[in-house]
């Protein structure tokens, strides 16, 4: 028997004495296909109808995606295309197809589900983003982001008021449609751009982060500007409307502040209540989901309220990642695509009548797209972004997606657009999104996902600026070695040190990787954290430095083949100047090798290739030193040497070393290896930079007794090796550059015998297994800067 789920009020009288009202039965649930005499009546019940609609939509979408993903088109394109196929453009032309499968009286259910999915999609987009990105993005993102809004908006306004508003042949009904088209085309949607970056897997790249920061600024400025413009336009007419507009603006600000100052502390409280490494309790997830629905009804609108709420929740583990894990499949896989397909079903590309205005629609779309592209590309070039990346950034910022479709759908619902205009605009979203994905995918080099075009190294940073280091640790011994390196870095108030320590743990017993930020104060499962000993060592260093150094702790549980992504992503996020990696070999007290890990060596090689900053590989032999300490042969002065032969890596090693001699308990010796013969093949610019750095070191040595400079003249690699081996007994730490010219006379014959190419010829000498002296070595590679 059909269930009664609704009522309609009608004149009349029902049995039982109820006057002037009657209840109409709305068929919801079918008694079953076998209980019906006429199988065609099965679709008269709403629940079977909506289930059949969902099944057809998702089967068709999945089938299209299996084909289109081979040409690098996202699922969003398949969702639009599925709607167009099911609509009056194609299958809707079949007699009774639309009337039976998508009847008008059943559209309310698709409409509700699609809007609910869109609300949670916007919320999850906010959860995945870091709003603090705006504060760290710098002038480049601000310049590009502001111009990407100001230029298209002003150009569109000039064209509208200069031409369309004065066109007497344009019907008044078309005036509001034209204005809405210009406003929507100028919109830069942050969630749409974030989705594109996720689809292309370039979210954590330099280009991706610049695009995110720029999009966030553009989205913020455009929405604030449009809101202020709307309030001014409403309040311009009378004093009453002026008061109403001011009250609306104040109410908007108050609602945003309430959301921020309520949800942010609540989110941090939930994180503290969550054991380390565990997902957030489901009760909290349910309450947050309820808050999303409530926020949608407080006056911010379904396009902005959930986004503000999502931005207040800390991204990443544990709360942000748990929300995404719990809701992503249902929202992105089931509900959110309904809005896209539902809009596609409303598209009719066959029955077109006002072709003159439709041509103008395409002219307006092309005009806005061209202006938007130029307003991103030219400022990006002016900000010294490489041309290929500037072109890719322009396509990213010009893309369109579900946000634009929601605006078009709203305008159709309010009858600002007619069916023909709506169809053309949805088609334009389809074409622009496809073009953006294809062009960005072909322009951006995936192998350089973390490579930067901003200088993030030690050489080009001011000596008195904060030095940011990311140290990686697999074992407790790695942190002990880094602790000594940090001690000799001698942080002070004038030149502070910020250390980010990433404990890398091989993933076991879990299906997904985890990144734990210990600054959030998460509780530990067992009471003793895997990283607790590491935390204690670094905290003692921070306390020793009395405010001149800060430490930050992270634990990453991941598969070994993906660990380099965690390292490079964190270095890019924290703007580190150098990544310090432990060497894959370890020695015991007797100088014998106790660990030789091929997995760690592979990870180090991957980081060297992909790092967004400089990299140092630390070869630690401190355990041998402990044996000597017991014999009483320890010197009170820590001796550091730099092997200098020229080139960017040697300059980076020297730039790090020159920060160390602030302590009188440290002695720095710079040994420059010079060829007997004049090197006519030497790069002149490199020679100038080398000479400038060495000149500075010599001047410092004239004023500081603990800085020494000397030159060694050699004929070939054999003489160089002899001198370097002699240095092993004289120094506690030696810094060397990784890369040198292959035809360098000082290294003649050494490049052919490298056991560890990742260390370079000099580092390979100092990593030999037969060295029993307690010398540690830091092999330095300067940041690889993208220049094309």
């Amino acid at each position: 028997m059909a269930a009664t789920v609704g009522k309609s009020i009608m004149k009349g009288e029902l049995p039982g004495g109820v006057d002037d009202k009657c209840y109409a039965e709305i068929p919801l649930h079918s008694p079953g296909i076998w209980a019906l005499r006429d199988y065609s009546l099965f679709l008269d019940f709403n629940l079977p109808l909506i289930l059949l609609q969902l099944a057809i939509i998702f089967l068709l979408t999945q089938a299209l995606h299996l084909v289109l993903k081979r040409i690098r088109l996202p699922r969003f394109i398949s969702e639009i295309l599925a709607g167009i196929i099911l609509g009056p453009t194609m299958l809707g032309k079949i007699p009774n197809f639309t009337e039976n499968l998508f009847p008008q009286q059943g559209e309310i259910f698709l409409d509700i589900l699609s809007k609910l999915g869109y609300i949670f999609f916007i919320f999850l987009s906010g959860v995945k983003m870091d709003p603090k990105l705006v504060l760290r993005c710098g002038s480049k993102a601000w310049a590009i982001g502001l111009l990407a809004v100001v230029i298209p908006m002003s150009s569109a306004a000039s064209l509208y008021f200069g031409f369309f508003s004065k066109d007497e042949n344009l019907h008044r009904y078309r005036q509001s449609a034209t204005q809405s088209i210009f406003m929507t085309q100028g919109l830069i949607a942050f969630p749409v751009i974030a989705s594109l970056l996720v689809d292309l897997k370039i979210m954590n790249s330099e280009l991706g982060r610049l695009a995110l920061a720029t999009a966030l600024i553009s989205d913020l400025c455009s929405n604030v500007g449009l809101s202020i413009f709307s309030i001014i336009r409403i309040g311009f007419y009378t004093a009453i409307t002026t008061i109403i507009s001011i009250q609306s603006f104040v109410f908007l600000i108050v609602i945003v502040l309430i959301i921020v100052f309520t949800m942010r502390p609540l989110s941090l409280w939930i994180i503290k209540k969550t054991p380390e490494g565990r997902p957030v309790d489901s009760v909290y997830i349910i309450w947050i989901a309820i808050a999303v629905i409530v926020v949608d009804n407080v006056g911010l609108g379904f396009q902005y309220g959930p986004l503000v709420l999502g931005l207040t929740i800390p991204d990443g583990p544990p709360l942000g990642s748990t929300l995404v894990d719990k809701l992503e499949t249902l929202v992105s896989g089931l509900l959110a695509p309904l809005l896209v397909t539902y809009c596609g079903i409303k598209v009719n590309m066959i029955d077109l009548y006002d072709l003159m205005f439709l041509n103008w629609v395409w002219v307006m779309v092309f005009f806005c797209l061209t202006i938007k592209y130029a307003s991103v590309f030219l400022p990006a070039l002016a900000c010294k972004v490489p041309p290929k990346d500037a072109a890719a950034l322009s396509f990213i910022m010009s893309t369109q997606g579900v946000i634009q479709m929601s605006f078009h759908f709203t305008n159709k619902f309010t009858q600002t657009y007619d069916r023909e205009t709506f169809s053309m605009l949805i088609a334009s979203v389809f074409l622009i999104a496809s073009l953006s994905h294809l062009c960005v995918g072909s322009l951006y080099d995936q192998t350089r996902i973390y490579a930067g075009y901003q200088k993030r190294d030690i050489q080009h940073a001011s000596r008195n600026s904060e030095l940011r280091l990311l140290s990686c640790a697999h074992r407790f011994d790695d942190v002990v070695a880094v602790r000594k390196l940090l001690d000799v870095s001698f942080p002070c108030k004038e030149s502070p040190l910020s250390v980010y320590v990433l404990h890398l743990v091989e993933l076991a017993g879990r299906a997904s990787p985890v990144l734990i930020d210990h600054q959030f104060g998460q509780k530990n499962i067992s009471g003793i954290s895997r990283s607790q000993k590491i935390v204690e060592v670094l905290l003692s260093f921070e306390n020793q430095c009395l405010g001149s150094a800060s430490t930050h702790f992270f634990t990453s549980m991941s598969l070994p083949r993906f660990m380099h992504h965690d390292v490079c992503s964190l270095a890019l996020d924290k703007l580190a100047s150098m990544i310090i990696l432990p060497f894959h070999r370890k020695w015991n007290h007797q100088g014998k090798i106790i660990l030789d890990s091929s997995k760690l060596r592979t990870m180090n090689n991957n980081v060297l290739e992909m790092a967004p900053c400089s990299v140092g590989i630390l070869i630690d032999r401190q355990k041998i030193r402990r044996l000597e300490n017991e014999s009483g042969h320890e010197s009170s002065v820590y001796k550091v040497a730099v092997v200098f032969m020229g080139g960017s890596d040697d300059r980076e090693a020297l730039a790090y070393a020159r920060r160390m001699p602030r302590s009188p308990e440290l002695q720095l010796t710079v040994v420059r290896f010079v060829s007997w013969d004049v090197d006519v093949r030497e790069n002149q610019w490199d020679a100038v930079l080398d000479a400038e750095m060495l000149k500075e070191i010599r001047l410092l040595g004239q004023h500081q007794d603990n800085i020494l400079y000397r030159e060694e003249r050699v004929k070939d690699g054999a003489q160089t090796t002899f001198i370097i081996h002699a240095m092993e007994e004289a120094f506690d730490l030696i810094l060397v550059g990784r890369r040198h010219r292959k035809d360098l006379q000082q290294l003649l014959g050494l490049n052919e015998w490298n056991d560890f190419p990742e260390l370079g010829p000099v580092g390979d000498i100092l990593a030999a297994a037969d060295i029993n002296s307690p010398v540690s070595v830091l092999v330095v590679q300067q940041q690889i800067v993208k220049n094309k």
Side-chain angles (χ1 to χ4, degrees):
M1 197 173 183
T4 302
V5 297
K7 64 181 180 179
S8 58
I9 300 175
M10 303 173 61
K11 295 274 179 132
E13 183 177 343
L14 286 177
V18 180
D19 296 332
D20 298 328
K21 291 183 180 179
C22 70
Y23 290 81
E25 289 189 351
I26 298 178
L28 176 62
H29 195 279
S30 167
I33 192 171
W34 305 111
L36 295 173
R37 297 180 181 179
D38 187 355
Y39 294 161
S40 63
L41 297 177
F42 181 74
L43 296 180
D44 290 341
F45 297 91
N46 290 313
L47 184 58
L49 178 62
I50 187 66
L51 292 177
L52 180 62
Q53 290 173 343
L54 293 177
I56 292 175
I57 287 172
F58 294 123
L59 285 174
L60 181 57
T61 300
Q62 186 62 29
L64 291 171
H65 184 58
L66 288 175
V67 177
L68 296 180
K69 71 178 183 180
R70 299 180 182 275
I71 56 174
R72 304 172 73 175
L73 288 177
R75 189 180 184 86
F76 172 75
I77 300 300
S78 303
E79 293 162 0
I80 300 179
L81 195 56
I84 294 175
I85 292 174
L86 294 173
T89 303
M90 297 184 68
L91 296 181
K93 290 296 181 183
I94 300 176
N96 298 323
F97 177 85
T98 301
E99 291 78 3
N100 291 329
L101 191 58
F102 295 98
Q104 188 173 3
Q105 64 270 19
E107 288 185 355
I108 185 174
F109 300 106
L110 277 179
D111 189 27
I112 292 173
L113 288 176
S114 62
K115 183 178 179 182
L116 187 65
Y118 180 79
I119 290 169
F120 278 94
F121 168 77
I122 294 297
F123 168 71
L124 289 179
S125 298
V127 170
K128 296 175 186 177
M129 300 305 123
D130 182 7
K132 293 182 290 186
L133 181 67
V134 176
L135 302 177
R136 302 194 302 263
C137 61
S139 58
K140 182 181 296 184
W142 276 102
I144 299 173
L146 288 175
L147 291 175
V149 173
V150 173
I151 295 177
M153 289 291 187
S154 58
S155 301
S158 300
L159 182 62
Y160 173 76
F161 290 109
F163 178 74
F164 286 100
S165 63
K166 299 179 180 179
D167 189 359
E168 297 179 355
N169 296 323
L170 190 64
H171 194 276
R172 185 176 181 181
Y173 174 75
R174 301 294 192 185
Q175 293 281 354
S176 57
T178 303
Q179 185 178 4
S180 297
I181 290 172
F182 278 126
M183 292 176 62
T184 306
Q185 293 299 317
L187 183 67
I188 295 178
F190 182 56
V192 171
I193 292 174
S195 298
L196 182 147
L197 297 176
V198 170
D199 288 336
L200 296 176
K201 300 179 181 179
I202 58 174
M203 173 75 80
N204 289 327
S205 67
E206 183 90 350
L207 175 64
R209 291 176 181 271
L210 177 61
L212 281 177
T214 306
L216 191 56
I217 293 168
S218 298
D219 200 350
L220 175 66
C221 295
S222 61
N223 285 305
V224 170
L226 289 175
S227 299
I228 295 175
F229 174 76
S230 300
I231 291 171
I232 293 175
R233 185 180 61 178
I234 294 172
F236 180 76
Y237 300 102
T238 64
I240 296 177
T241 55
T242 303
I243 296 174
I244 294 175
S245 63
I246 294 174
Q247 290 177 344
S248 300
F249 182 75
V250 172
F251 177 76
L252 180 68
I253 298 298
V254 170
I255 290 297
V256 171
L257 292 177
I258 290 175
I259 293 174
V260 172
F261 288 102
T262 301
M263 285 304 301
R264 185 69 179 185
L266 182 61
S267 300
L268 297 177
W269 178 81
I270 293 173
I271 290 173
K272 289 184 179 181
K273 288 289 184 180
T274 303
E276 185 178 301
R278 292 270 184 91
V280 178
D281 193 278
S282 298
V283 174
Y284 301 133
I285 303 299
I286 294 172
W287 281 109
I288 292 176
I290 294 173
V292 174
I293 299 174
V294 171
V295 166
D296 180 53
N297 295 276
V298 296
L300 289 179
F302 72 96
Q303 293 164 336
Y304 300 108
L307 179 63
V308 174
L309 179 63
L311 289 173
T312 63
I313 296 176
D315 62 316
L319 182 55
S321 59
T322 303
L323 281 169
V324 173
D325 291 340
K326 296 285 187 180
L327 301 177
E328 182 76 17
T329 302
L330 178 64
V331 172
S332 298
L334 178 66
L335 298 178
L338 280 179
L339 178 65
V340 179
T341 306
Y342 188 49
C343 289
I345 291 174
K346 296 296 182 181
V347 171
N348 188 344
M349 304 293 292
I350 304 300
D351 301 325
L352 305 176
Y353 301 101
D354 192 354
L355 297 180
M356 178 65 70
F357 181 73
L358 296 183
N359 290 333
W360 278 115
V361 169
W362 284 105
V363 170
M364 288 185 283
V365 170
F366 181 77
F367 173 81
C368 293
L369 185 65
T370 304
I371 295 297
K372 187 188 294 185
Y373 184 92
S375 65
V376 176
F377 181 74
L378 296 179
L381 287 181
C383 293
K384 298 182 179 180
V385 177
K388 286 185 68 174
D389 281 1
L393 180 63
S394 301
F395 281 110
I396 291 172
M397 298 293 290
S398 302
T399 191
Q400 295 188 12
V402 64
I403 303 296
Q404 283 81 3
M405 293 189 74
S406 71
F407 277 93
H408 294 324
F409 184 73
T410 301
N411 285 324
K412 182 181 183 298
F413 179 78
T414 59
Q415 298 185 355
T416 304
Y417 298 159
D418 58 10
R419 177 182 50 78
E420 298 171 328
T421 305
F422 174 78
S423 299
M424 293 298 104
L425 290 172
I426 297 300
S428 71
V429 172
F430 175 84
L431 294 176
I432 292 171
S434 303
L435 181 67
S436 298
H437 277 76
L438 294 175
C439 291
V440 175
S442 61
L443 285 171
Y444 191 73
D445 184 4
Q446 295 283 347
T447 62
R448 302 293 301 279
I449 185 172
Y450 298 109
Y453 37 79
Q454 292 181 344
K455 293 187 183 298
R456 293 198 182 109
D457 53 33
I458 301 176
Q459 177 190 345
H460 295 92
S462 170
R463 286 190 62 189
N464 294 326
S465 63
E466 180 188 44
L467 176 61
R468 295 191 172 200
L469 301 177
L470 171 62
S471 175
C472 301
H474 302 273
R475 298 154 47 100
F476 179 70
D477 293 344
D478 298 334
V479 183
V480 175
V482 169
R483 166 66 192 270
K484 188 60 182 179
L485 181 63
L486 297 177
D487 285 336
V488 301
S489 299
F490 196 69
C492 58
K493 294 290 186 180
E494 294 76 19
S495 180
L497 181 64
S498 185
V499 183
Y500 299 89
V501 181
L502 179 63
H503 185 200
L504 296 167
V505 180
E506 186 171 350
L507 186 65
R510 301 181 63 92
S512 58
V514 173
L515 178 65
I516 301 172
D517 186 348
H518 297 274
Q519 273 61 249
F520 278 132
Q522 289 178 246
K523 296 165 65 177
N524 179 37
I525 299 173
S526 61
I528 300 177
S529 172
R530 295 184 183 185
S531 307
Q532 188 61 35
K533 292 183 178 180
I534 296 176
V535 171
E536 291 174 357
V537 170
L538 272 298
L539 278 178
S540 66
F541 166 73
E542 183 176 349
N543 295 331
Q544 173 187 310
C545 294
L546 301 176
S548 58
S550 60
T551 53
H552 313 269
F553 316 109
F554 300 86
T555 298
S556 172
M557 288 181 274
S558 179
L559 295 174
R561 65 177 181 271
F562 296 133
M563 283 183 176
H564 61 282
H565 287 294
D566 296 330
V567 175
C568 295
S569 178
L570 187 60
L572 186 64
D573 183 56
K574 302 304 179 183
L575 304 179
S577 296
M578 179 177 286
I579 301 170
I580 300 176
L581 301 170
F583 190 49
H584 66 275
R585 279 186 174 179
K586 301 294 177 185
W587 288 262
N588 63 7
H589 292 79
Q590 289 77 34
K592 295 181 180 180
I593 296 175
I594 59 173
L595 177 68
D596 192 346
S597 174
S598 60
K599 292 181 179 179
L600 302 189
R601 185 181 182 186
T602 301
M603 191 206 78
N604 289 351
N605 288 332
N606 290 333
V607 173
L608 287 170
E609 291 178 5
M610 304 176 68
C613 58
S614 298
V615 181
I617 297 180
L618 181 59
I619 304 171
D620 172 43
R621 292 189 178 91
Q622 286 192 84
K623 285 188 176 181
I624 304 175
R625 175 173 294 280
R626 292 193 187 107
L627 184 63
E628 292 192 356
N629 292 347
E630 294 171 1
S631 303
H633 297 295
E634 183 183 15
S635 171
S636 60
V637 178
Y638 193 83
K639 297 180 180 180
V640 179
V642 177
V643 175
F644 193 92
M645 299 184 188
S648 60
D649 290 355
D650 282 8
R651 291 194 297 271
E652 185 72 3
L654 184 56
Y656 187 19
R658 71 183 178 186
R659 289 175 170 261
M660 299 178 179
R662 293 188 178 96
S663 172
E665 298 178 356
L666 183 142
Q667 185 181 68
L668 173 64
T669 303
V670 179
V671 183
R672 184 186 185 189
F673 287 77
V674 184
S675 172
W676 277 100
D677 302 325
V678 178
D679 192 354
V680 296
R681 292 168 295 184
E682 184 177 11
N683 184 287
Q684 296 300 316
W685 180 243
D686 267 347
V688 170
L689 296 177
D690 293 343
E692 286 294 324
M693 287 207 70
L694 294 172
K695 179 181 177 181
E696 182 182 349
I697 291 295
R698 288 196 294 268
L699 290 174
L700 287 173
Q702 294 176 5
H703 299 88
Q704 293 180 240
D705 296 335
N706 61 342
I707 298 179
L708 303 176
Y709 172 82
R710 78 170 193 255
E711 292 186 356
E712 297 284 352
R713 291 192 173 273
V714 294
K715 293 182 179 179
D716 53 22
Q719 289 188 0
T720 300
T721 303
F722 179 79
I723 296 173
I724 289 176
H725 279 313
M727 296 173 62
E728 295 167 2
E729 299 292 339
F731 296 97
D732 301 297
L733 173 66
I734 300 177
L735 286 81
V736 302
R738 173 178 177 254
R739 299 167 299 176
H740 300 89
R741 283 180 24 232
K742 292 183 178 181
D743 57 358
L744 199 65
Q745 187 174 358
Q746 298 94 306
L747 299 175
L748 189 63
L750 296 182
N751 288 306
E752 290 79 10
W753 300 97
N754 275 4
D755 292 330
F756 306 110
E758 68 270 22
L759 300 180
V762 181
D764 186 74
I765 296 171
L766 293 168
D770 56 352
I771 296 177
N772 289 320
S773 58
V775 62
S776 295
V777 182
L778 184 65
V779 182
V780 177
Q781 172 186 283
Q782 193 178 54
Q783 176 199 15
I784 302 174
V785 180
K786 185 184 296 185
N787 52 20
K788 62 181 179 177

